[in-house]
Amino acid sequence: MTMEWIGYGALGVVILYLISVYNSLVSLRARAGQAYADVDVQLKQRHDLIPNLIETVKGYAAHERGTFDAVVKARNEAITAKGTGQQADAEAALSGSLGRLMALAEAYPDLKADENFRQLQTDLTETEDKLAAARRFFNNAVSEYNAALQSFPAVLFSRTLGFAPREFFDLGEGERARLDVAPQVKF
């Protein structure tokens, strides 16, 4: 009879441990989801700034239609992108076209002196910084979640309970190479 109670006790401890592991996975998955939502908020703010920036630049460089069209197209693709990988690729393309738009401003001294343009440029820089921080937080949350999925005993039952690894928000090679170069500040 005592051995039977010891067996029930051991089974109860194992069940409580598995419940704890399950709850931990749920918490980590929710944290990764919340972190992705934070990235999404920053991306929306970035997308909302772009039309104002384009309109300001258009006033000074109306004949640069191809650059404007490329930024608008990249923005629209970024807005409609689904999934982490597709969204990361679309955002990298948008960053590239925004870089070309900012480079265009160098050719127009009056534009660089325009207060509205400078404010939009500052807002965009701040948004980019917040976006980078949100991406780091998301990738950290995904890393913790994926590591928990692969650790024992979660690896034994996580897939059957619907837990799947998440994809990192990867910038892609082109964007990573662009970020490796220090920005130049000119006055």
Side-chain angles (χ1 to χ4, degrees):
M1 188 71 156
T2 315
M3 289 304 274
E4 194 174 301
W5 283 107
I6 292 174
Y8 288 139
L11 182 62
V13 168
V14 168
I15 289 173
L16 287 176
Y17 181 69
L18 291 177
I19 289 171
S20 172
V21 169
Y22 176 82
N23 287 340
S24 176
L25 290 175
V26 168
S27 176
L28 289 169
R29 180 173 58 188
R31 182 172 174 225
Q34 188 265 330
Y36 187 76
D38 289 348
V39 169
D40 214 30
V41 166
Q42 295 305 321
L43 290 174
K44 181 174 178 358
Q45 185 175 0
R46 178 187 194 203
H47 298 158
D48 290 347
L49 283 171
I50 291 170
N52 295 333
L53 190 62
I54 289 172
E55 287 304 315
T56 302
V57 175
K58 270 185 182 178
Y60 289 91
H63 62 282
E64 301 285 353
R65 187 84 181 142
T67 302
F68 303 135
D69 291 343
V71 173
V72 169
K73 180 180 180 223
R75 176 185 178 264
N76 291 339
E77 288 174 1
I79 288 173
T80 59
K82 303 289 183 221
T84 308
Q86 186 182 12
Q87 195 169 25
D89 291 343
E91 290 300 327
L94 179 57
S95 292
S97 62
L98 275 175
R100 288 187 294 281
L101 182 67
M102 291 302 171
L104 180 66
E106 293 295 318
Y108 297 92
D110 291 343
L111 174 61
K112 287 188 344 185
D114 183 79
E115 184 62 35
N116 191 29
F117 178 74
R118 287 192 315 213
Q119 183 60 47
L120 287 168
Q121 208 171 18
T122 300
D123 291 348
L124 187 60
T125 301
E126 289 172 0
T127 301
E128 293 290 341
D129 291 343
K130 290 176 188 174
L131 182 56
R135 284 177 180 151
R136 281 191 305 273
F137 183 74
F138 171 73
N139 285 339
N140 182 53
V142 167
S143 177
E144 289 176 7
Y145 172 70
N146 288 346
L149 286 179
Q150 295 170 2
S151 56
F152 186 81
V155 72
L156 300 175
F157 63 87
S158 60
R159 295 250 184 202
T160 58
L161 294 176
F163 292 97
R166 296 211 46 175
E167 208 177 321
F168 289 100
F169 202 104
D170 187 23
L171 292 176
E173 290 303 316
E175 184 67 7
R176 193 174 295 113
R178 187 184 72 77
L179 291 175
D180 285 343
V181 177
Q184 294 181 359
V185 179
K186 295 180 184 178
F187 294 100

